[in-house]
Amino acid sequence: MQRSDISSVVDREFSRETLQLDAAVAVRAITQGISNQVLRRLRRRGAVIGLSGGIDSSVTAALCAAALGPQNVMAVLMPEKDSDPDSLRLGRLVAETYGIGHVVEDIAPTLSAAGCYLRRDGAIRELFPDFGSDWSCKVVLSNVLHGNRYSLTKLVVETPAGERREARMPIGVYQAVVAATNMKQRIRKQLEYYHADRLNYAVAGTPNRLEYDQGFFVKNGDGAADFKPIAHLYKSQVYQLAEELGIPAEIRQRPPTTDTWSMAQTQEEFYFALPYEQMDLCLYGLEHALTAEAVAQATGLTEEQVTLVWQDIEAKRKATRYLHEPPLLIDEDEADRSFGQVA
């Protein structure tokens, strides 16, 4: 059978069912992988994980508990003043469900001392001079399906009285706000490594395939880890494992959120063009060279919309490629050429 014939067969068979897993088999394979990586390759006694009350960290925690034993897993819950109170409650629920030891580290004082909130609020006041510390805010990215050829961001703020305002963000303001906010992920990771060093444990990362592929993480923040056991799984597959592992229904039904901003914010608002079920199928179609027509039929989108999503995926991959780069070294040839050179 020729390549074009194979592609047409795959196109005809492509649907939401394509991403269905044998969840029990996947759990066994991943837990065996975690055990081998942590105990043999990394030579650590257990795992530390930052629990957010979201689906990805909950599944990762359950997998680590199954692989290493709950007595060898430590969960770190790290609220701050912008966190949804449900995150702490649900994180505790996961730890208790799987018998995992946990500690609560309030990172708000550390963030305040580092100037996270002051720096962020100072940048926001370039757009809203009366922005107060008791206001709430979030950043929203333009959706490529709305006809925007370029990513545009807007800042949304809300007064204590509930008045909502928004404005398009100049690049300098956007970068300043995000730079300050990224402190949250980096402080959390610092604490995870503190507990890992203290216990001789490895740090578990929690990105799924969508996040890992498109750079939806902070370098040296939530992107840092010793192993990432679900980075090969599409988001919808993470939910399949969640059901198999018995993740509490409240967490499985909770909409994915960044839990970074003081205003409620979905991941589609901040980063992804579509809900995860459609994003998964679009990413799969792009990775497996399916036609836009086949992906459109599976997702309920138009072919034009599928093409726009693929362009957005490629643009995000290009823009965030540096996040995957290790520290760069000067290679030997470059170093050799410098010998004997006069400054």
Side-chain angles (χ1 to χ4, degrees):
M1 186 179 290
Q2 296 181 351
R3 169 64 180 165
S4 59
D5 295 329
I6 295 173
S7 297
S8 64
V9 170
V10 173
D11 280 355
R12 288 198 299 273
E13 296 176 347
F14 181 59
S15 70
R16 293 177 184 271
E17 301 303 314
T18 301
L19 297 183
Q20 285 295 315
L21 290 172
D22 184 325
V25 171
V27 166
R28 287 196 296 272
I30 295 170
T31 53
Q32 184 61 54
I34 291 172
S35 178
N36 289 336
Q37 289 177 344
V38 173
L39 302 179
R40 294 173 178 83
R41 184 170 177 182
L42 298 173
R43 300 180 66 83
R44 292 296 183 266
R45 297 174 50 248
V48 166
I49 179 167
L51 261 183
S52 66
I55 195 73
D56 296 316
S57 66
S58 298
V59 167
T60 302
L63 289 167
C64 287
L68 305 169
Q71 72 279 10
N72 296 314
V73 180
M74 169 63 74
V76 189
L77 286 63
M78 295 167 281
E80 46 96 14
K81 74 173 191 176
D82 292 330
S83 299
D84 184 339
D86 275 346
S87 297
L88 180 59
R89 179 179 62 82
L90 294 173
R92 281 196 173 109
L93 175 61
V94 172
E96 292 165 0
T97 298
Y98 297 97
I100 297 169
H102 69 280
V103 294
V104 177
E105 299 269 12
D106 183 354
I107 65 171
T110 303
L111 291 171
S112 293
C116 169
Y117 306 118
L118 285 174
R119 297 171 200 268
R120 180 201 62 191
D121 294 355
I124 290 174
R125 289 189 185 102
E126 293 188 34
L127 296 181
F128 300 102
D130 54 345
F131 183 82
S133 60
D134 55 347
W135 293 31
S136 56
C137 65
K138 66 179 176 180
V139 172
V140 176
L141 188 68
S142 62
N143 193 312
V144 295
L145 299 186
H146 295 164
N148 298 306
R149 294 183 60 84
Y150 303 98
S151 293
L152 304 175
T153 56
K154 63 181 179 181
L155 178 66
V156 182
V157 301
E158 189 173 271
T159 69
E163 178 193 357
R164 185 170 293 198
R165 309 178 197 171
E166 60 182 55
R168 181 171 165 188
M169 301 180 77
I171 186 64
V173 173
Y174 170 78
Q175 290 175 335
V177 169
V178 170
T181 304
N182 284 351
M183 290 183 183
K184 299 180 180 185
Q185 285 79 10
R186 293 188 173 117
I187 292 298
R188 288 189 173 111
K189 194 58 62 172
Q190 182 181 17
L191 285 167
E192 289 173 37
Y193 271 100
Y194 161 74
H195 288 287
D197 291 346
R198 179 176 66 84
L199 298 167
N200 195 29
Y201 282 7
V203 171
T206 65
N208 58 63
R209 192 184 193 115
L210 280 178
E211 295 169 346
Y212 187 76
D213 177 84
Q214 293 171 64
F216 187 44
F217 56 84
V218 176
K219 191 165 189 175
N220 297 323
D222 54 339
D226 297 313
F227 65 105
K228 299 179 178 182
I230 64 169
H232 64 295
L233 296 175
Y234 293 93
K235 184 83 170 185
S236 53
Q237 294 174 333
V238 175
Y239 278 93
Q240 294 172 47
L241 262 62
E243 186 171 356
E244 174 69 21
L245 291 162
I247 299 296
E250 186 176 3
I251 294 172
R252 287 187 279 118
Q253 295 164 5
R254 187 188 191 197
T257 175
T258 62
D259 199 27
T260 297
W261 309 91
S262 49
M263 291 180 70
Q265 181 197 55
T266 66
Q267 291 186 348
E268 296 96 86
E269 284 183 307
F270 186 63
Y271 204 76
F272 297 114
L274 295 166
Y276 71 85
E277 300 97 327
Q278 292 173 304
M279 280 301 305
D280 279 351
L281 292 168
C282 287
L283 180 59
Y284 183 97
L286 179 62
E287 291 180 327
H288 292 82
L290 303 185
T291 64
E293 178 184 7
V295 176
Q297 290 176 354
T299 57
L301 301 171
T302 67
E303 292 181 45
E304 181 182 8
Q305 288 174 323
V306 171
T307 300
L308 288 172
V309 173
W310 282 349
Q311 291 172 352
D312 188 55
I313 290 173
E314 294 287 16
K316 285 185 169 69
R317 284 174 171 175
K318 182 178 180 181
T320 62
R321 189 171 298 141
Y322 89 102
L323 296 177
H324 293 277
E325 290 280 0
L328 302 181
L329 307 179
I330 300 298
D331 64 34
E332 291 186 4
D333 289 340
E334 290 173 314
D336 288 343
R337 285 196 297 271
S338 69
F339 292 155
Q341 299 295 316
V342 177

